[in-house]
Amino acid sequence: MSNRGSSNHRQSSVSSFRSRFSFTMLSMFACMASLYVAGRLWQDAENRVQLVQELDKRTGQGHSAVSVDETLKIIDCREQQQKLGALQMELEKARQEGFVSNSLAGNGATDGKKKLLAVVGIITTFGRKNNRDAIRKAWMPGGAASKILEEKGIIIRFVVGRSANPGDGLDKDINNENRHQNDFIILDDHVEAAEESTKKVKKFFSHAVEHWNAEFYVKVNDDIYVNIDALGSVLANHLDKPRVYLGCMKSGEVFSQPTQKWYEPEWWKFGDKKSYFRHASGEIYAISQSVAQFISINKSMLRSYAHDDVSAGSWFIGLDVKHVGERKFCCSSWSSGSSLSFSPLLTPQPPRVLVFG
């Protein structure tokens, strides 16, 4: 028994000695490593000092090294300049998109110009010169009368795109007509095509709100007469509403067969597949400035359906926009003479007053 106890005691002593030895060796290695690292850092610092001194001698400058504080100040200054430049860019973008108050925008109400009541865009295309000439004779004043109308708050322009073959006879005809009449908005980034009518309307609203500061923006087809007096009165009645979508409101059947005239390729998106959501008839409708700004800002994301009036109605679903059904914009009122518009354009029925006043 004593021998076994003695053996255990010796084994324990040996293990204890080995542990102490291992700890001592590790401590020595750690100390040597620390001294080595410290020495290298000191040597690097000495080398940098010698290099700076040598540079001073060769350049003749007393102090070429920049302190840490000075370096931090330079970096901070550069960061502040970058932030300031970014803020200036954001402010300019917000100004262009109409999200800056009049006191900051530097245009519209602050540039000495009276805010317009409406910008009216007459959607037209190639081969419709007879319609345009009839409108000019009927309700769209030209020359001095046009200037008077603009001073009173309404601007009227025909809206057209470009030919699929740039510079061809179609483009030249429009350019010549505009040179004589000076009453077009020519969308250089839009190619005229029947299936692109929705994109054309979207680009008109975007262009108009970017170039004119108005209460309302109005889309009109080029085959109707418009009573400018009545139009101005109707719009003025809604100046107190911040977001307005004004027109002859309807729903209508969704046509799902390709052989049908008003076929809608994406008919399956419209709920029960039988009727559209509420939207204004495409002959004539108006939107307020903030709504036009929404279109301008989000034009690349707004969906284009087969028909421009349905598409316009879809853009305002989910928005806090007041849908106003106005009987004077409806076909049913034309025969009674109480409307502000008449269709078709070449009807013998005479137009109303030509100048809003």
Side-chain angles (χ1 to χ4, degrees), residues 6 49 122 245 256:
S6 231
V49 170
I122 306 171
Y245 175 34
S256 58

Side-chain angles (χ1 to χ4, degrees), residues 3 7 27 70 85 135 170 242-243 249 260 270 289 323:
N3 290 336
S7 174
S27 299
E70 291 173 336
I135 287 176
L170 297 174
R243 292 171 296 277
M249 294 296 166
Q260 294 173 307
F270 297 95
Q289 185 180 62
H323 288 55

